[in-house]
Amino acid sequence: MSKRALYPGMVIVLGVLLAATLGGVRAGQLKSETLRVSNADIGGVVSSPNGPEAGVWVIAETTDLPTKFVKIVVTDDQGRYLVPELPKANYSLFVRGYGLVDSPKVKATPGQTVDLKAVAAPDKKAAVEYYPALYWFSLLQVPPKSDFPGTGPSGNGIAASIKSQGQWIREIVNTDGCTGCHQMGDKATREIPDSILHHSNDSSGAWERRIQSGQAGAGMAARFNQVGSKRAAAMYADWTDRIAKGELPDAAPSRPQGKERNVVVTMWDWADPKVYLHDDISTDKRNPTVNANGPIYGALEESGDYLPVVDPKTNTASQIKLIVRDPDTPSSGDQPPAGPSPYWGDEAIWNSKTTVHSFAMDKQGRVWAAARVRKPETSAWCQAGSDHPSAKLLSIPQGQRGLELYDPKTKQLTTIDTCYTWGHVNFDDNDVLWSSFGPAGVEGWFDTKIWDKTHDEKKAQGWSAFVLDYNGNGKRDAYTEPGQPADPTKDKRINVAFYGVSPAPDGSVWGTVLGMPGALVRFIPGSHPPDTALAEYYEVPWNNPKAPVQGFAPRGLDVDSKGVVWTVLSSGHYASFDRSKCKGPLNGPTAATGQQCPEGWTLYPFPGPNYKGAVENGSADSAYYNFVDRFDMLGVGKDVALATGNLSEGLLVLVDGKFMTLRVPYPMGYYAKGLDGRIDNPNGGWKGKGIYTPISTRAPFHMEGGKGTTSKLVKFQMRPDPLAN
């Protein structure tokens, strides 16, 4: 063939190749042209050999700032992404998504357009390593319904006190069991450390040894013993044995869809690797513009005596050292590990006297923390013989947490002694703080207006009993005590305590009562609460043939602007209770049963798979606490109910009866307890507001990254679309 004949053919081939190449570039350019990448953004397209990758996460992280900073977004249906509002720094970018393995990290700075290459998982075994813990924990085989009630150690190994499969799930599996402190199903829990396994006769014995690890070991072992230690250990051993032999999750999570792709997740490191977070506070729940653009405070519960603080404006983390009133206040450091930890050995890593649990913020931006400040014995004026109006009716010889007040303007801390104990702390519209955690039979309050005027902690506080209007006359009368026969001419006192607590718009105060099936209690203070307060008692419908829904074991609680109560259940449900729907009498003997209003309940099963063999449960997901977004701080509507998806690794958002899951894919291990929201700029659109949660696992070293990983403060925002900036 001559050169003359060859060249035209080569020109044609080269022309086709060049056209194809330019077409590919133009296609990429067309996709990028629709991105508005400002000087504070990084954007681009994520693709793989299969084409654009929709619904995968792009993660930008940096350690250039005063504390580690991470921002995460989701790609749209064309694989485009935009990470907005990045502080000036050098970032590492990578792609994570279901069906993928992590892409190589790419360096970038704000203002750049950076296309990223996703990497397909070579097989299912590689892919499932990125699944949320829920999909692994749902492999747990729970005892069949026919095994209940338990027949004890000489029978089926389940304690005779455990009457149903649901109770077993509540007490040893879900929020009142193991998932109340740990993200069960993550890599750290679905595998048994060699240091434990190799020193045990079998995996069941390894689990009995495992639960003794660390300073919570005595409590974990007690929980196993309560339900039947051998049977509980065998259940968990069977789970980890099957995984060790290669069993993989049956179900697969879907990639973010629809509005789930609009989420922007921002994350800051705070605290230190030996502590864990329980709660956070950013604003006054009644007015979310208080403390706008200010610091966010965290609660370390049993693990440390300081408030971790993040300033989102400067991306700095700091600490506020806490104080106690009595130097002999007990400390969690007094409790040594029951057994060596695979991570920390025999070291007692928790050393807290204050055990700060939760907060409220007032109109002045002051932080009111539930904190231990003294030994358990109460002051003389709390006890019998006192002239305090509440003590005359119901004395309190012992209590745990009081209050600690932090004023950010003066930087001063003030300890406040209360007779009763604080767990959760919430303001009503009259600046009165309402408590939870009892002691049993007691609801306490603290009037901050009185305290500000007098600084008299005795005068500012009060408490009352929970008294049902058993005789039905609409007022509080003489009452029978718990355990005494009911008297139709008297009222009836019940020996309950609040866990979650929230004042309602009508002036009543609602709380959750832990247990099986558990309950909601409405507390109506009256004109002089120590002796006028009345209560109403509503059990979660369980084994109630008249109830349209069945569930059990509430924990967190919040009330929306219409007075509807929201709580999360250990049965794998989000539940609402609307008292206005009640048809039966709300006082009198019938109401004292707690079964008087099944029609007030609506239950929403959490998304995701259930445990194997579970027939009395809605989902294997575990939600510790919940929050009603009354002011549209997330950006999906007012009065939207939120919950912590602690095994699905995200924020569960209930909109019009359907869940959105806003996942936190990195680091794997997102597990929250407290939630809060704030509006920094009422005119700032999505950028001016957000929802905050801490990462609250008691073992942050179980998270991706292992020992040395700290808890995080996490902010959720919802854009109008995945490319908004």
Side-chain angles (χ1 to χ4, degrees):
M1 182 179 292
S2 67
K3 290 182 180 179
R4 185 182 298 275
L6 177 63
Y7 287 160
M10 291 178 64
V11 169
I12 292 171
V13 170
L14 288 171
V16 170
L17 289 172
L18 183 59
T21 302
L22 290 174
V25 171
R26 289 192 188 103
Q29 288 174 341
L30 287 172
K31 290 177 182 178
S32 297
E33 283 169 3
T34 61
L35 290 172
R36 302 182 303 276
V37 180
S38 77
N39 291 335
D41 310 329
I42 300 174
V45 179
V46 176
S47 61
S48 71
N50 297 322
E53 289 286 349
V56 299
W57 293 280
V58 174
I59 299 160
E61 62 179 335
T62 183
T63 56
D64 287 355
L65 301 172
T67 193
K68 184 177 179 180
F69 178 92
V70 178
K71 189 161 278 196
I72 304 170
V73 299
V74 187
T75 58
D76 71 0
D77 58 359
Q78 298 178 52
R80 299 172 297 180
Y81 76 93
L82 190 138
V83 188
E85 295 198 295
L86 289 168
K88 289 183 179 180
N90 297 301
Y91 290 87
S92 293
L93 267 67
F94 67 100
V95 179
R96 175 171 286 185
Y98 302 136
L100 307 176
V101 295
D102 285 354
S103 68
K105 292 186 176 181
V106 175
K107 299 296 183 182
T109 55
Q112 288 186 307
T113 299
V114 182
D115 291 344
L116 299 170
K117 294 296 182 184
V119 180
D123 51 35
K124 182 179 179 180
K125 185 177 180 180
V128 297
E129 290 297 322
Y130 297 91
Y131 284 11
L134 167 65
Y135 292 82
W136 291 93
F137 199 46
S138 64
L139 296 176
L140 186 77
Q141 180 75 52
V142 297
K145 186 177 179 179
S146 58
D147 274 7
F148 300 93
T151 54
S154 60
N156 63 12
I158 297 172
S161 60
I162 307 300
K163 304 299 183 183
S164 64
Q165 185 190 72
Q167 188 181 359
W168 174 269
I169 290 170
R170 179 246 165 182
E171 296 197 16
I172 197 58
V173 178
N174 207 296
T175 309
D176 295 317
C178 294
T179 64
C181 295
H182 300 287
Q183 186 187 80
M184 301 299 294
D186 60 14
K187 193 172 182 66
T189 57
R190 67 179 183 256
E191 297 176 356
I192 303 177
D194 288 342
S195 61
I196 292 176
L197 190 59
H198 289 168
H199 293 87
S200 305
N201 292 329
D202 54 26
S203 53
S204 184
W207 268 95
E208 290 188 85
R209 163 60 189 85
R210 181 182 210 180
I211 60 170
Q212 298 175 37
S213 299
Q215 287 166 272
M220 290 190 285
R223 177 63 70 171
F224 266 51
N225 289 333
Q226 183 177 334
V227 302
S229 183
K230 295 292 185 184
R231 187 65 184 269
M235 177 186 70
Y236 280 109
D238 169 71
W239 172 57
T240 50
D241 281 351
R242 286 185 282 113
I243 290 172
K245 292 174 183 176
E247 186 170 345
L248 301 177
D250 301 321
S254 61
R255 290 182 176 182
Q257 304 291 324
K259 291 183 178 180
E260 293 174 339
R261 296 179 179 177
N262 298 350
V263 70
V264 177
V265 174
T266 309
M267 195 179 310
W268 297 265
D269 274 17
W270 60 348
D272 68 78
K274 294 183 180 181
V275 300
Y276 67 91
L277 269 290
H278 189 279
D279 211 341
D280 67 346
I281 192 73
S282 64
T283 190
D284 183 342
K285 188 175 178 180
R286 303 161 298 177
N287 177 6
T289 62
V290 170
N291 192 41
N293 297 298
I296 291 95
Y297 306 89
L300 299 181
E301 202 184 34
E302 300 289 337
S303 61
D305 276 331
Y306 64 88
L307 303 182
V309 183
V310 160
D311 184 340
K313 297 196 307 296
T314 59
N315 300 296
T316 55
S318 59
Q319 300 178 4
I320 298 169
K321 299 295 183 182
L322 295 167
I323 60 175
V324 293
R325 179 174 297 189
D326 181 352
D328 293 326
T329 301
S331 169
S332 57
D334 299 336
Q335 176 67 56
S341 159
Y343 301 87
W344 303 100
D346 291 318
E347 182 182 358
I349 62 172
W350 300 342
N351 188 15
S352 176
K353 290 186 174 184
T354 54
T355 71
V356 171
H357 188 271
S358 295
F359 307 104
M361 184 177 285
D362 64 20
K363 297 171 183 176
Q364 304 171 56
R366 297 179 301 179
V367 177
W368 297 81
R372 187 166 56 190
V373 301
R374 55 158 171 77
K375 291 178 288 189
E377 184 178 358
T378 59
S379 299
W381 52 267
C382 303
Q383 302 187 31
S386 167
D387 61 353
H388 192 284
S390 293
K392 287 179 180 180
L393 298 169
L394 197 68
S395 61
I396 303 177
Q398 288 201 332
Q400 296 297 322
R401 293 185 186 93
L403 292 169
E404 186 150 346
L405 173 62
Y406 174 69
D407 188 335
K409 293 178 181 177
T410 63
K411 311 298 183 187
Q412 294 297 309
L413 287 158
T414 304
T415 61
I416 298 172
D417 189 6
T418 61
C419 303
Y420 48 88
T421 296
W422 294 82
H424 297 100
V425 188
N426 273 311
F427 274 109
D428 67 14
D429 291 336
N430 296 314
D431 296 328
V432 174
L433 283 169
W434 292 90
S435 72
S436 66
F437 284 30
V442 171
E443 172 58 6
W445 59 88
F446 190 86
D447 192 324
T448 63
K449 288 182 178 178
I450 293 176
W451 191 86
D452 280 335
K453 288 178 181 178
T454 66
H455 279 224
D456 185 334
E457 58 193 16
K458 176 182 175 182
K459 188 174 182 180
Q461 69 182 278
W463 61 93
S464 183
F466 292 100
V467 178
L468 303 180
D469 183 14
Y470 193 82
N471 61 19
N473 67 0
K475 63 185 181 69
R476 180 156 143 180
D477 302 301
Y479 49 78
T480 58
E481 293 288 346
Q484 291 181 344
D487 184 336
T489 67
K490 294 182 178 181
D491 290 336
K492 180 180 177 65
R493 186 168 81 86
I494 55 175
N495 204 30
V496 299
F498 282 169
Y499 182 79
V501 63
S502 182
D506 65 359
S508 64
V509 181
W510 287 86
T512 49
V513 177
L514 302 183
M516 188 69 189
L520 299 177
V521 170
R522 180 173 182 251
F523 183 87
I524 309 98
S527 59
H528 187 253
D531 51 18
T532 61
L534 284 170
E536 296 170 1
Y537 177 74
Y538 301 93
E539 283 192 351
V540 181
W542 173 244
N543 289 336
N544 182 351
K546 296 181 180 179
V549 292
Q550 305 286 327
F552 52 85
R555 198 171 185 97
L557 177 137
D558 205 0
V559 181
D560 68 22
S561 63
K562 301 177 184 65
V564 177
V565 183
W566 292 85
T567 183
V568 285
L569 305 180
S570 277
S571 55
H573 297 91
Y574 210 154
S576 68
F577 179 76
D578 188 345
R579 183 176 176 272
S580 69
K581 293 181 179 179
C582 295
K583 298 175 182 177
L586 301 183
N587 55 17
T590 301
T593 66
Q595 300 296 316
Q596 69 275 25
C597 186
E599 62 276 6
W601 292 89
T602 304
L603 270 58
Y604 305 88
F606 290 130
N610 208 343
Y611 313 109
K612 288 183 177 292
V615 295
E616 296 184 346
N617 199 62
S619 167
D621 204 358
S622 174
Y624 189 95
Y625 220 84
N626 60 294
F627 180 83
V628 176
D629 184 7
R630 291 189 287 142
F631 300 96
D632 191 24
M633 295 173 287
L634 179 61
V636 295
K638 292 184 177 181
D639 271 337
V640 168
L642 314 176
T644 60
N646 288 347
L647 303 191
S648 56
E649 301 189 2
L651 190 65
L652 301 177
V653 183
L654 187 64
V655 182
D656 297 327
K658 295 182 179 179
F659 282 104
M660 289 195 302
T661 304
L662 307 181
R663 286 210 162 95
V664 180
Y666 172 81
M668 286 184 284
Y670 175 78
Y671 171 111
K673 289 190 176 179
L675 303 93
D676 195 26
R678 189 169 74 189
I679 297 175
D680 292 319
N681 180 0
N683 300 314
W686 72 270
K687 296 181 183 180
K689 57 189 180 181
I691 296 291
Y692 294 91
T693 79
I695 291 182
S696 302
T697 169
R698 283 206 178 194
F701 38 88
H702 283 181
M703 296 167 61
E704 180 180 359
K707 186 177 179 180
T709 301
T710 68
S711 178
K712 323 289 179 185
L713 174 67
V714 184
K715 181 180 183 181
F716 295 86
Q717 295 171 289
M718 292 292 281
R719 299 185 278 189
D721 63 75
L723 303 180
N725 58 1

